[in-house]
């Protein structure tokens, strides 16, 4: 049984895992948050804020704090962090488990356009609609800043930093949101196309249901691949199994 587990990420799954581990006698759990949100939600166990300084910094932290297992439960698009976790785990001999909830799959009635990146999404937009609900988070909006003929509705927990598209309407809100709430947002802002990252999970899927019901096309940015030789488990029970623990 691992005595000290370091969890990377503040996702819903990361918080569930931290709560499970923190309740187990003899297990110390530390969750590392990037610090991009000023007021993150509560997390069980110990919490550290901020980066490690790359793969070497993370490796040094693993050694200094006697970490027995590393769980990467970051957002599926946190490509650099996942790569650093893989390198740090390999260099220190620390067991690594990558937790990734399954990606979304289109349902009957969906009008999805798959793209490999935010730049690809920006390239696809002009032919799909002028009023865009951009639900990709507050990072990476610079990819759309050159689209001067489109109206963007951007939703995020905290105000994004420039550059932004010149015609941007900001909605500050924290999810999860219901299908009814997402439907009302799409209607109220007369949205013609939705852009989202394939984050997966149920917490943010309501907007996809709303788009389907309103026949709004969706541009889906697909996930970056995992580092070579790294596999992922889809849920908290899978992580516990890899750690040699029974579900709580």
């Amino acid at each position: 049984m691992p005595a000290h587990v370091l969890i990377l990420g503040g996702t819903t799954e990361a918080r569930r895992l931290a709560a499970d581990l923190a309740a187990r006698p003899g297990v110390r759990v530390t969750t590392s948050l990037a610090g991009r949100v000023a007021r993150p939600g509560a997390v069980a166990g110990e919490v550290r804020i901020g980066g490690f300084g790359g793969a070497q910094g993370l490796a040094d932290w693993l050694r200094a704090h006697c970490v027995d297992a590393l769980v990467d439960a970051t957002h599926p698009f946190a490509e650099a962090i996942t790569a650093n976790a893989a390198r740090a785990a390999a260099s220190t001999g620390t067991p690594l488990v990558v937790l990734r909830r399954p990606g979304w799959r289109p349902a009957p009635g969906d009008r999805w356009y798959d793209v490999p990146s935010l730049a690809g999404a920006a390239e696809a937009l002009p032919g799909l609609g002028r009023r865009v609900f951009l639900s990709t988070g507050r990072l990476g909006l610079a990819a759309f800043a050159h689209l001067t003929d489109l109206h963007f509705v951007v939703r995020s927990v905290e105000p994004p930093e420039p550059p932004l598209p010149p015609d941007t309407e900001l909605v500050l809100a924290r999810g999860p949101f219901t299908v009814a709430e997402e439907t009302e947002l799409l209607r109220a802002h007369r949205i013609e196309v939705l852009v989202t990252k394939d984050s997966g999970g149920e917490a943010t899927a309501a907007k996809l249901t709303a788009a389907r019901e309103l026949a709004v096309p969706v541009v889906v940015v697909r996930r970056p691949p995992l580092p070579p030789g790294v596999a992922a488990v889809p849920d908290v029970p899978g992580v516990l199994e890899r750690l040699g623990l029974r579900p709580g």
Side-chain angles (χ1 to χ4, degrees):
M1 183 177 69
H4 188 192
V5 180
L6 173 63
I7 302 173
L8 305 179
T11 59
T12 301
E13 291 78 13
R15 295 171 191 275
R16 290 173 181 168
L17 178 62
D20 182 292
L21 295 177
R24 296 173 183 263
V27 177
R28 175 188 174 194
V29 57
T30 303
T31 300
S32 177
L33 304 177
R36 291 175 179 151
V37 177
R39 291 176 293 179
V43 181
E46 302 174 30
V47 177
R48 70 172 301 278
I49 303 293
F52 292 93
Q56 186 58 55
L58 176 55
D60 293 342
W61 203 95
L62 296 176
R63 294 189 186 97
H65 294 82
C66 301
V67 173
D68 300 291
L70 174 62
V71 179
D72 173 14
T74 55
H75 193 276
F77 285 81
E79 188 174 8
I81 298 176
T82 296
N84 288 340
R87 290 196 291 267
S91 67
T92 60
T94 305
L96 170 66
V97 185
V98 177
L99 171 57
R100 288 291 184 275
R101 53 183 178 253
W104 291 316
R105 294 292 179 266
D110 282 330
R111 296 170 56 199
W112 283 15
Y113 298 84
D114 289 353
V115 295
S117 63
L118 291 176
E123 184 177 349
L125 280 179
L128 296 176
R130 184 182 177 280
R131 300 185 65 84
V132 184
F133 178 28
L134 195 56
S135 64
T136 56
R138 65 188 182 94
L139 302 178
L141 299 183
F144 304 90
H146 65 287
L147 297 174
T148 59
D149 294 333
L150 304 183
H151 174 78
F152 289 89
V153 176
V154 174
R155 183 173 66 195
S156 64
V157 176
E158 297 179 353
E161 297 181 358
L164 303 174
D167 187 0
T168 295
E169 182 178 355
L170 184 60
V171 176
L172 295 180
R174 184 190 295 270
F177 305 97
T178 66
V179 173
E181 290 170 332
E182 298 291 51
T183 300
E184 174 58 26
L185 184 145
L186 296 180
R187 283 176 172 161
H189 294 277
R190 295 178 285 119
I191 296 301
E192 299 172 352
V193 58
L194 163 67
V195 181
T196 185
K197 292 179 178 179
D198 180 21
S199 58
E202 297 179 359
T204 56
K207 60 192 172 189
L208 301 176
T209 302
R212 182 187 312 126
E213 294 177 351
L214 296 177
V216 172
V218 182
V219 177
V220 181
V221 182
R222 287 302 176 192
R223 301 176 176 186
L226 290 170
V230 174
V233 297
D235 51 29
V236 170
V239 175
L240 296 175
E241 182 179 354
R242 290 279 297 273
L243 294 178
L245 301 171
R246 293 183 178 181

